[in-house]
Short mmCIF file of all heavy atoms in Angstrom, two decimals:
data_model
loop_
_atom_site.label_atom_id
_atom_site.label_comp_id
_atom_site.label_asym_id
_atom_site.label_seq_id
_atom_site.Cartn_x
_atom_site.Cartn_y
_atom_site.Cartn_z
N ALA A 110 -8.76 2.41 44.47
CA ALA A 110 -10.04 1.86 44.94
C ALA A 110 -9.91 0.38 45.22
O ALA A 110 -9.21 -0.35 44.49
CB ALA A 110 -11.12 2.10 43.90
N THR A 111 -10.58 -0.12 46.30
CA THR A 111 -10.52 -1.53 46.68
C THR A 111 -11.73 -2.32 46.20
O THR A 111 -11.69 -3.54 46.19
CB THR A 111 -10.43 -1.65 48.21
OG1 THR A 111 -11.57 -1.01 48.79
CG2 THR A 111 -9.15 -1.00 48.71
N LYS A 112 -12.79 -1.64 45.83
CA LYS A 112 -13.94 -2.34 45.27
C LYS A 112 -14.80 -1.36 44.47
O LYS A 112 -14.60 -0.15 44.52
CB LYS A 112 -14.76 -2.99 46.37
CG LYS A 112 -15.45 -2.02 47.35
CD LYS A 112 -16.29 -2.78 48.36
CE LYS A 112 -17.02 -1.82 49.30
NZ LYS A 112 -17.87 -2.57 50.26
N LEU A 113 -15.74 -1.91 43.74
CA LEU A 113 -16.63 -1.09 42.93
C LEU A 113 -17.62 -0.35 43.83
O LEU A 113 -18.05 -0.87 44.87
CB LEU A 113 -17.41 -1.97 41.95
CG LEU A 113 -16.58 -2.75 40.93
CD1 LEU A 113 -17.49 -3.68 40.12
CD2 LEU A 113 -15.84 -1.81 40.00
N ALA A 114 -17.96 0.86 43.43
CA ALA A 114 -18.94 1.62 44.21
C ALA A 114 -20.29 0.93 44.17
O ALA A 114 -21.03 0.94 45.15
CB ALA A 114 -19.04 3.05 43.67
N THR A 115 -20.63 0.33 43.02
CA THR A 115 -21.90 -0.39 42.88
C THR A 115 -21.62 -1.83 42.48
O THR A 115 -21.07 -2.06 41.39
CB THR A 115 -22.80 0.27 41.82
OG1 THR A 115 -23.02 1.62 42.18
CG2 THR A 115 -24.13 -0.48 41.70
N PRO A 116 -21.89 -2.81 43.32
CA PRO A 116 -21.66 -4.22 42.94
C PRO A 116 -22.46 -4.57 41.70
O PRO A 116 -23.55 -4.04 41.47
CB PRO A 116 -22.14 -5.00 44.17
CG PRO A 116 -22.12 -4.01 45.30
CD PRO A 116 -22.44 -2.68 44.69
N ARG A 117 -21.92 -5.48 40.91
CA ARG A 117 -22.57 -5.90 39.66
C ARG A 117 -22.82 -7.41 39.70
O ARG A 117 -22.03 -8.17 40.25
CB ARG A 117 -21.69 -5.57 38.45
CG ARG A 117 -21.37 -4.09 38.31
CD ARG A 117 -22.62 -3.26 38.09
NE ARG A 117 -22.30 -1.85 37.91
CZ ARG A 117 -23.21 -0.88 37.84
NH1 ARG A 117 -24.51 -1.19 37.95
NH2 ARG A 117 -22.84 0.37 37.67
N VAL A 118 -23.95 -7.81 39.12
CA VAL A 118 -24.28 -9.23 39.02
C VAL A 118 -23.75 -9.75 37.69
O VAL A 118 -24.06 -9.21 36.62
CB VAL A 118 -25.81 -9.45 39.09
CG1 VAL A 118 -26.14 -10.93 38.88
CG2 VAL A 118 -26.33 -8.99 40.44
N ILE A 119 -22.93 -10.81 37.75
CA ILE A 119 -22.40 -11.47 36.55
C ILE A 119 -23.21 -12.75 36.36
O ILE A 119 -23.23 -13.61 37.24
CB ILE A 119 -20.91 -11.79 36.70
CG1 ILE A 119 -20.12 -10.49 36.92
CG2 ILE A 119 -20.39 -12.52 35.46
CD1 ILE A 119 -18.65 -10.71 37.20
N ALA A 120 -23.90 -12.85 35.23
CA ALA A 120 -24.78 -14.00 34.98
C ALA A 120 -24.40 -14.65 33.67
O ALA A 120 -23.95 -14.00 32.73
CB ALA A 120 -26.24 -13.55 34.96
N ILE A 121 -24.57 -15.98 33.61
CA ILE A 121 -24.38 -16.73 32.37
C ILE A 121 -25.69 -17.44 32.06
O ILE A 121 -26.44 -17.83 32.96
CB ILE A 121 -23.23 -17.76 32.50
CG1 ILE A 121 -23.43 -18.68 33.70
CG2 ILE A 121 -21.90 -17.07 32.56
CD1 ILE A 121 -22.36 -19.75 33.82
N ALA A 122 -26.00 -17.57 30.78
CA ALA A 122 -27.26 -18.17 30.36
C ALA A 122 -27.02 -18.97 29.09
O ALA A 122 -25.99 -18.82 28.44
CB ALA A 122 -28.32 -17.09 30.13
N GLY A 123 -27.98 -19.81 28.76
CA GLY A 123 -27.87 -20.63 27.56
C GLY A 123 -27.89 -22.09 27.94
O GLY A 123 -28.76 -22.55 28.68
N ALA A 124 -26.89 -22.87 27.45
CA ALA A 124 -26.82 -24.29 27.78
C ALA A 124 -26.62 -24.50 29.27
O ALA A 124 -27.09 -25.48 29.85
CB ALA A 124 -25.69 -24.95 26.99
N VAL A 125 -25.89 -23.55 29.92
CA VAL A 125 -25.73 -23.58 31.37
C VAL A 125 -26.17 -22.22 31.90
O VAL A 125 -26.14 -21.22 31.19
CB VAL A 125 -24.27 -23.89 31.78
CG1 VAL A 125 -23.87 -25.27 31.35
CG2 VAL A 125 -23.32 -22.84 31.20
N SER A 126 -26.58 -22.16 33.17
CA SER A 126 -27.00 -20.89 33.76
C SER A 126 -26.45 -20.79 35.17
O SER A 126 -26.15 -21.80 35.82
CB SER A 126 -28.53 -20.79 33.76
OG SER A 126 -29.10 -21.84 34.54
N GLY A 127 -26.30 -19.55 35.63
CA GLY A 127 -25.81 -19.30 36.98
C GLY A 127 -25.46 -17.84 37.11
O GLY A 127 -25.36 -17.10 36.13
N SER A 128 -25.24 -17.34 38.34
CA SER A 128 -24.91 -15.94 38.54
C SER A 128 -24.20 -15.77 39.88
O SER A 128 -24.24 -16.64 40.75
CB SER A 128 -26.17 -15.07 38.48
OG SER A 128 -27.04 -15.40 39.56
N ALA A 129 -23.52 -14.61 40.00
CA ALA A 129 -22.87 -14.24 41.25
C ALA A 129 -22.71 -12.73 41.26
O ALA A 129 -22.62 -12.09 40.20
CB ALA A 129 -21.52 -14.93 41.41
N THR A 130 -22.67 -12.12 42.48
CA THR A 130 -22.49 -10.68 42.62
C THR A 130 -21.01 -10.39 42.82
O THR A 130 -20.33 -11.01 43.65
CB THR A 130 -23.29 -10.14 43.81
OG1 THR A 130 -24.67 -10.45 43.60
CG2 THR A 130 -23.12 -8.64 43.95
N PHE A 131 -20.48 -9.42 42.04
CA PHE A 131 -19.06 -9.10 42.06
C PHE A 131 -18.89 -7.61 42.32
O PHE A 131 -19.47 -6.78 41.61
CB PHE A 131 -18.41 -9.48 40.72
CG PHE A 131 -16.95 -9.12 40.63
CD1 PHE A 131 -16.00 -9.83 41.34
CD2 PHE A 131 -16.54 -8.06 39.82
CE1 PHE A 131 -14.66 -9.50 41.25
CE2 PHE A 131 -15.21 -7.72 39.75
CZ PHE A 131 -14.26 -8.45 40.45
N ASP A 132 -18.07 -7.24 43.38
CA ASP A 132 -17.78 -5.82 43.63
C ASP A 132 -16.30 -5.53 43.55
O ASP A 132 -15.85 -4.42 43.85
CB ASP A 132 -18.34 -5.40 45.00
CG ASP A 132 -17.67 -6.16 46.15
OD1 ASP A 132 -16.75 -6.98 45.88
OD2 ASP A 132 -18.07 -5.94 47.31
N GLY A 133 -15.48 -6.52 43.14
CA GLY A 133 -14.05 -6.29 42.98
C GLY A 133 -13.24 -6.48 44.24
O GLY A 133 -12.00 -6.43 44.18
N SER A 134 -13.87 -6.69 45.40
CA SER A 134 -13.11 -6.82 46.64
C SER A 134 -12.55 -8.22 46.82
O SER A 134 -11.65 -8.43 47.63
CB SER A 134 -14.01 -6.47 47.82
OG SER A 134 -15.11 -7.38 47.88
N ASP A 135 -13.08 -9.21 46.11
CA ASP A 135 -12.60 -10.58 46.27
C ASP A 135 -13.02 -11.37 45.03
O ASP A 135 -13.88 -10.92 44.25
CB ASP A 135 -13.21 -11.21 47.54
CG ASP A 135 -12.40 -12.42 47.99
OD1 ASP A 135 -11.42 -12.78 47.29
OD2 ASP A 135 -12.73 -12.99 49.06
N ASN A 136 -12.42 -12.56 44.88
CA ASN A 136 -12.79 -13.43 43.78
C ASN A 136 -14.16 -14.03 44.03
O ASN A 136 -14.57 -14.22 45.19
CB ASN A 136 -11.78 -14.57 43.60
CG ASN A 136 -10.39 -14.05 43.29
OD1 ASN A 136 -10.25 -13.02 42.65
ND2 ASN A 136 -9.37 -14.75 43.76
N VAL A 137 -14.90 -14.34 42.97
CA VAL A 137 -16.18 -14.99 43.10
C VAL A 137 -16.20 -16.22 42.19
O VAL A 137 -15.47 -16.29 41.20
CB VAL A 137 -17.35 -14.06 42.72
CG1 VAL A 137 -17.41 -12.88 43.66
CG2 VAL A 137 -17.24 -13.61 41.26
N SER A 138 -17.02 -17.20 42.55
CA SER A 138 -17.22 -18.40 41.73
C SER A 138 -18.68 -18.49 41.39
O SER A 138 -19.55 -18.17 42.20
CB SER A 138 -16.77 -19.66 42.48
OG SER A 138 -15.39 -19.61 42.78
N ILE A 139 -18.96 -18.99 40.18
CA ILE A 139 -20.34 -19.14 39.72
C ILE A 139 -20.63 -20.64 39.58
O ILE A 139 -19.92 -21.34 38.85
CB ILE A 139 -20.57 -18.43 38.38
CG1 ILE A 139 -20.33 -16.92 38.53
CG2 ILE A 139 -21.98 -18.69 37.85
CD1 ILE A 139 -20.45 -16.16 37.22
N ASN A 140 -21.61 -21.12 40.30
CA ASN A 140 -22.06 -22.51 40.17
C ASN A 140 -23.10 -22.55 39.05
O ASN A 140 -24.12 -21.87 39.11
CB ASN A 140 -22.67 -23.01 41.48
CG ASN A 140 -21.63 -23.08 42.60
OD1 ASN A 140 -20.48 -23.45 42.35
ND2 ASN A 140 -22.03 -22.70 43.79
N SER A 141 -22.82 -23.39 38.03
CA SER A 141 -23.69 -23.42 36.85
C SER A 141 -24.56 -24.66 36.87
O SER A 141 -24.23 -25.69 37.47
CB SER A 141 -22.86 -23.40 35.56
OG SER A 141 -22.02 -24.52 35.50
N THR A 142 -25.73 -24.54 36.21
CA THR A 142 -26.68 -25.63 36.07
C THR A 142 -26.85 -25.93 34.59
O THR A 142 -27.02 -25.01 33.78
CB THR A 142 -28.05 -25.24 36.68
OG1 THR A 142 -27.86 -24.93 38.06
CG2 THR A 142 -29.04 -26.39 36.55
N LEU A 143 -26.77 -27.25 34.23
CA LEU A 143 -26.92 -27.66 32.83
C LEU A 143 -28.38 -27.58 32.43
O LEU A 143 -29.25 -28.17 33.06
CB LEU A 143 -26.40 -29.08 32.63
CG LEU A 143 -26.44 -29.62 31.19
CD1 LEU A 143 -25.52 -28.79 30.30
CD2 LEU A 143 -26.04 -31.08 31.17
N ASN A 144 -28.69 -26.80 31.38
CA ASN A 144 -30.05 -26.66 30.88
C ASN A 144 -30.26 -27.61 29.70
O ASN A 144 -29.52 -28.59 29.54
CB ASN A 144 -30.30 -25.21 30.46
CG ASN A 144 -30.16 -24.27 31.65
OD1 ASN A 144 -30.49 -24.61 32.77
ND2 ASN A 144 -29.64 -23.08 31.39
N ASN A 145 -31.26 -27.33 28.89
CA ASN A 145 -31.48 -28.15 27.69
C ASN A 145 -30.27 -28.01 26.78
O ASN A 145 -30.07 -26.98 26.15
CB ASN A 145 -32.75 -27.70 26.97
CG ASN A 145 -34.00 -28.00 27.77
OD1 ASN A 145 -34.02 -28.97 28.53
ND2 ASN A 145 -35.02 -27.18 27.62
N PHE A 146 -29.46 -29.10 26.69
CA PHE A 146 -28.19 -29.03 25.96
C PHE A 146 -28.33 -29.73 24.62
O PHE A 146 -28.89 -30.83 24.53
CB PHE A 146 -27.09 -29.70 26.79
CG PHE A 146 -25.73 -29.54 26.20
CD1 PHE A 146 -25.09 -28.31 26.23
CD2 PHE A 146 -25.07 -30.60 25.59
CE1 PHE A 146 -23.82 -28.16 25.69
CE2 PHE A 146 -23.82 -30.45 25.05
CZ PHE A 146 -23.20 -29.22 25.10
N ASP A 147 -27.86 -29.08 23.58
CA ASP A 147 -27.91 -29.63 22.22
C ASP A 147 -26.76 -30.62 22.04
O ASP A 147 -25.59 -30.24 22.04
CB ASP A 147 -27.80 -28.49 21.20
CG ASP A 147 -27.99 -28.99 19.78
OD1 ASP A 147 -28.09 -30.21 19.59
OD2 ASP A 147 -28.01 -28.15 18.86
N ALA A 148 -27.09 -31.91 21.92
CA ALA A 148 -26.05 -32.94 21.82
C ALA A 148 -25.18 -32.76 20.59
O ALA A 148 -24.05 -33.25 20.54
CB ALA A 148 -26.69 -34.33 21.80
N SER A 149 -25.68 -32.04 19.54
CA SER A 149 -24.86 -31.83 18.34
C SER A 149 -23.65 -30.95 18.61
O SER A 149 -22.74 -30.88 17.79
CB SER A 149 -25.72 -31.20 17.23
OG SER A 149 -26.13 -29.90 17.62
N LYS A 150 -23.62 -30.26 19.76
CA LYS A 150 -22.49 -29.38 20.10
C LYS A 150 -21.33 -30.16 20.69
O LYS A 150 -20.25 -29.61 20.92
CB LYS A 150 -22.93 -28.30 21.09
CG LYS A 150 -24.12 -27.46 20.63
CD LYS A 150 -23.84 -26.75 19.33
CE LYS A 150 -25.01 -25.87 18.92
NZ LYS A 150 -24.78 -25.22 17.61
N ILE A 151 -21.54 -31.46 21.05
CA ILE A 151 -20.46 -32.27 21.63
C ILE A 151 -19.49 -32.65 20.52
O ILE A 151 -19.86 -33.31 19.55
CB ILE A 151 -21.02 -33.53 22.30
CG1 ILE A 151 -22.02 -33.15 23.40
CG2 ILE A 151 -19.89 -34.39 22.86
CD1 ILE A 151 -22.70 -34.35 24.04
N THR A 152 -18.24 -32.22 20.62
CA THR A 152 -17.23 -32.48 19.59
C THR A 152 -16.07 -33.31 20.08
O THR A 152 -15.16 -33.62 19.33
CB THR A 152 -16.70 -31.15 19.03
OG1 THR A 152 -16.12 -30.39 20.11
CG2 THR A 152 -17.81 -30.35 18.38
N SER A 153 -16.03 -33.68 21.38
CA SER A 153 -14.92 -34.47 21.90
C SER A 153 -15.41 -35.31 23.08
O SER A 153 -16.52 -35.11 23.59
CB SER A 153 -13.76 -33.56 22.33
OG SER A 153 -14.17 -32.72 23.39
N GLY A 154 -14.58 -36.26 23.53
CA GLY A 154 -14.93 -37.10 24.66
C GLY A 154 -15.85 -38.24 24.27
O GLY A 154 -16.24 -38.39 23.11
N THR A 155 -16.19 -39.11 25.24
CA THR A 155 -17.04 -40.28 25.01
C THR A 155 -18.18 -40.29 26.00
O THR A 155 -17.97 -40.10 27.21
CB THR A 155 -16.21 -41.57 25.15
OG1 THR A 155 -15.11 -41.52 24.24
CG2 THR A 155 -17.07 -42.80 24.84
N LEU A 156 -19.41 -40.50 25.53
CA LEU A 156 -20.56 -40.58 26.42
C LEU A 156 -20.52 -41.89 27.20
O LEU A 156 -20.16 -42.95 26.67
CB LEU A 156 -21.85 -40.51 25.62
CG LEU A 156 -22.17 -39.17 24.93
CD1 LEU A 156 -23.43 -39.31 24.10
CD2 LEU A 156 -22.34 -38.08 25.96
N SER A 157 -20.89 -41.84 28.48
CA SER A 157 -20.95 -43.04 29.30
C SER A 157 -22.14 -43.88 28.89
O SER A 157 -23.22 -43.37 28.60
CB SER A 157 -21.05 -42.66 30.78
OG SER A 157 -21.32 -43.80 31.57
N ALA A 158 -21.94 -45.21 28.89
CA ALA A 158 -23.05 -46.11 28.53
C ALA A 158 -24.16 -46.05 29.56
O ALA A 158 -25.31 -46.43 29.27
CB ALA A 158 -22.53 -47.54 28.40
N ASP A 159 -23.87 -45.56 30.78
CA ASP A 159 -24.88 -45.50 31.83
C ASP A 159 -26.04 -44.57 31.47
O ASP A 159 -27.15 -44.73 31.98
CB ASP A 159 -24.25 -45.05 33.15
CG ASP A 159 -23.21 -46.05 33.64
OD1 ASP A 159 -23.29 -47.23 33.22
OD2 ASP A 159 -22.33 -45.66 34.44
N ILE A 160 -25.76 -43.57 30.63
CA ILE A 160 -26.82 -42.60 30.34
C ILE A 160 -27.67 -43.01 29.15
O ILE A 160 -28.70 -42.41 28.87
CB ILE A 160 -26.24 -41.21 30.08
CG1 ILE A 160 -25.47 -41.19 28.73
CG2 ILE A 160 -25.34 -40.76 31.20
CD1 ILE A 160 -25.07 -39.82 28.30
N LEU A 161 -27.25 -44.07 28.40
CA LEU A 161 -27.98 -44.45 27.20
C LEU A 161 -29.43 -44.84 27.49
O LEU A 161 -30.34 -44.49 26.73
CB LEU A 161 -27.26 -45.58 26.47
CG LEU A 161 -25.91 -45.19 25.83
CD1 LEU A 161 -25.28 -46.39 25.17
CD2 LEU A 161 -26.11 -44.06 24.83
N PRO A 162 -29.72 -45.62 28.58
CA PRO A 162 -31.13 -45.95 28.83
C PRO A 162 -32.00 -44.73 29.06
O PRO A 162 -33.22 -44.80 28.92
CB PRO A 162 -31.07 -46.84 30.08
CG PRO A 162 -29.68 -47.39 30.07
CD PRO A 162 -28.82 -46.30 29.51
N GLU A 163 -31.41 -43.62 29.45
CA GLU A 163 -32.18 -42.42 29.73
C GLU A 163 -32.44 -41.58 28.48
O GLU A 163 -33.19 -40.61 28.53
CB GLU A 163 -31.46 -41.56 30.77
CG GLU A 163 -31.20 -42.30 32.09
CD GLU A 163 -30.40 -41.46 33.06
OE1 GLU A 163 -30.20 -40.28 32.74
OE2 GLU A 163 -29.99 -41.96 34.11
N ILE A 164 -31.79 -41.93 27.38
CA ILE A 164 -31.92 -41.15 26.13
C ILE A 164 -33.02 -41.76 25.29
O ILE A 164 -32.99 -42.97 25.00
CB ILE A 164 -30.60 -41.13 25.35
CG1 ILE A 164 -29.49 -40.53 26.20
CG2 ILE A 164 -30.75 -40.36 24.04
CD1 ILE A 164 -28.14 -40.54 25.53
N PRO A 165 -34.03 -40.99 24.84
CA PRO A 165 -35.07 -41.53 23.97
C PRO A 165 -34.45 -42.09 22.69
O PRO A 165 -33.47 -41.55 22.17
CB PRO A 165 -35.96 -40.31 23.67
CG PRO A 165 -35.65 -39.35 24.77
CD PRO A 165 -34.24 -39.58 25.16
N LEU A 166 -35.02 -43.21 22.21
CA LEU A 166 -34.49 -43.86 21.01
C LEU A 166 -34.48 -42.91 19.82
O LEU A 166 -33.60 -42.97 18.96
CB LEU A 166 -35.32 -45.10 20.69
CG LEU A 166 -34.77 -46.03 19.59
CD1 LEU A 166 -33.41 -46.57 20.01
CD2 LEU A 166 -35.74 -47.17 19.31
N SER A 167 -35.45 -41.97 19.76
CA SER A 167 -35.52 -41.03 18.63
C SER A 167 -34.34 -40.07 18.60
O SER A 167 -34.09 -39.43 17.58
CB SER A 167 -36.84 -40.24 18.71
OG SER A 167 -36.88 -39.48 19.91
N LYS A 168 -33.62 -39.93 19.73
CA LYS A 168 -32.49 -39.01 19.79
C LYS A 168 -31.16 -39.69 19.45
O LYS A 168 -30.12 -39.05 19.42
CB LYS A 168 -32.38 -38.40 21.20
CG LYS A 168 -33.60 -37.58 21.62
CD LYS A 168 -33.83 -36.39 20.70
CE LYS A 168 -35.00 -35.55 21.16
NZ LYS A 168 -35.25 -34.41 20.26
N ILE A 169 -31.19 -41.03 19.25
CA ILE A 169 -29.96 -41.76 18.93
C ILE A 169 -29.87 -41.91 17.42
O ILE A 169 -30.83 -42.35 16.78
CB ILE A 169 -29.95 -43.14 19.61
CG1 ILE A 169 -30.07 -42.99 21.13
CG2 ILE A 169 -28.68 -43.91 19.24
CD1 ILE A 169 -30.14 -44.29 21.87
N PRO A 170 -28.75 -41.57 16.78
CA PRO A 170 -28.61 -41.70 15.33
C PRO A 170 -28.80 -43.15 14.90
O PRO A 170 -28.42 -44.08 15.62
CB PRO A 170 -27.18 -41.21 15.06
CG PRO A 170 -26.81 -40.41 16.25
CD PRO A 170 -27.55 -41.00 17.41
N ALA A 171 -29.40 -43.33 13.71
CA ALA A 171 -29.61 -44.68 13.20
C ALA A 171 -28.31 -45.44 13.05
O ALA A 171 -28.25 -46.66 13.20
CB ALA A 171 -30.34 -44.60 11.86
N ALA A 172 -27.21 -44.72 12.75
CA ALA A 172 -25.91 -45.38 12.55
C ALA A 172 -25.39 -46.01 13.82
O ALA A 172 -24.49 -46.85 13.78
CB ALA A 172 -24.89 -44.37 12.01
N ALA A 173 -25.94 -45.61 15.00
CA ALA A 173 -25.45 -46.16 16.27
C ALA A 173 -26.26 -47.35 16.72
O ALA A 173 -26.01 -47.91 17.79
CB ALA A 173 -25.47 -45.06 17.34
N ILE A 174 -27.28 -47.78 15.95
CA ILE A 174 -28.16 -48.87 16.34
C ILE A 174 -27.97 -50.03 15.36
O ILE A 174 -28.04 -49.85 14.15
CB ILE A 174 -29.63 -48.41 16.33
CG1 ILE A 174 -29.82 -47.19 17.23
CG2 ILE A 174 -30.55 -49.56 16.77
CD1 ILE A 174 -31.20 -46.60 17.15
N GLU A 175 -27.69 -51.24 15.90
CA GLU A 175 -27.58 -52.43 15.05
C GLU A 175 -28.98 -52.90 14.69
O GLU A 175 -29.88 -52.95 15.54
CB GLU A 175 -26.79 -53.52 15.78
CG GLU A 175 -25.34 -53.11 16.05
CD GLU A 175 -24.59 -54.18 16.82
OE1 GLU A 175 -25.24 -55.15 17.23
OE2 GLU A 175 -23.38 -54.03 16.99
N ARG A 176 -29.17 -53.30 13.39
CA ARG A 176 -30.49 -53.62 12.91
C ARG A 176 -30.55 -55.03 12.33
O ARG A 176 -29.52 -55.59 11.94
CB ARG A 176 -30.90 -52.61 11.83
CG ARG A 176 -31.10 -51.20 12.38
CD ARG A 176 -30.87 -50.15 11.34
NE ARG A 176 -29.47 -50.13 10.93
CZ ARG A 176 -28.98 -49.28 10.05
NH1 ARG A 176 -29.77 -48.41 9.48
NH2 ARG A 176 -27.70 -49.31 9.73
N LEU A 177 -31.77 -55.63 12.26
CA LEU A 177 -32.00 -56.95 11.69
C LEU A 177 -32.83 -56.80 10.43
O LEU A 177 -33.86 -56.14 10.42
CB LEU A 177 -32.75 -57.85 12.70
CG LEU A 177 -33.26 -59.19 12.15
CD1 LEU A 177 -32.08 -60.07 11.75
CD2 LEU A 177 -34.12 -59.90 13.20
N TYR A 178 -32.35 -57.42 9.33
CA TYR A 178 -33.05 -57.39 8.06
C TYR A 178 -33.42 -58.82 7.68
O TYR A 178 -32.64 -59.77 7.89
CB TYR A 178 -32.19 -56.79 6.95
CG TYR A 178 -31.79 -55.36 7.19
CD1 TYR A 178 -30.61 -55.06 7.87
CD2 TYR A 178 -32.57 -54.31 6.73
CE1 TYR A 178 -30.23 -53.75 8.10
CE2 TYR A 178 -32.20 -53.00 6.95
CZ TYR A 178 -31.03 -52.72 7.63
OH TYR A 178 -30.66 -51.41 7.84
#
Side-chain angles (χ1 to χ4, degrees):
T111 58
K112 66 177 182 178
L113 299 174
T115 302
R117 301 297 182 187
V118 176
I119 300 175
I121 54 177
V125 295
S126 61
S128 64
T130 301
F131 177 72
D132 64 2
S134 62
D135 200 357
N136 299 328
V137 297
S138 298
I139 299 176
N140 295 321
S141 60
T142 301
L143 182 64
N144 299 325
N145 292 330
F146 186 72
D147 186 355
S149 65
K150 305 301 183 183
I151 301 175
T152 60
S153 63
T155 303
L156 292 176
S157 170
D159 297 338
I160 69 170
L161 292 179
E163 302 176 8
I164 301 177
L166 189 61
S167 61
K168 299 299 183 181
I169 301 177
I174 304 174
E175 296 178 353
R176 293 153 294 182
L177 171 65
Y178 298 90

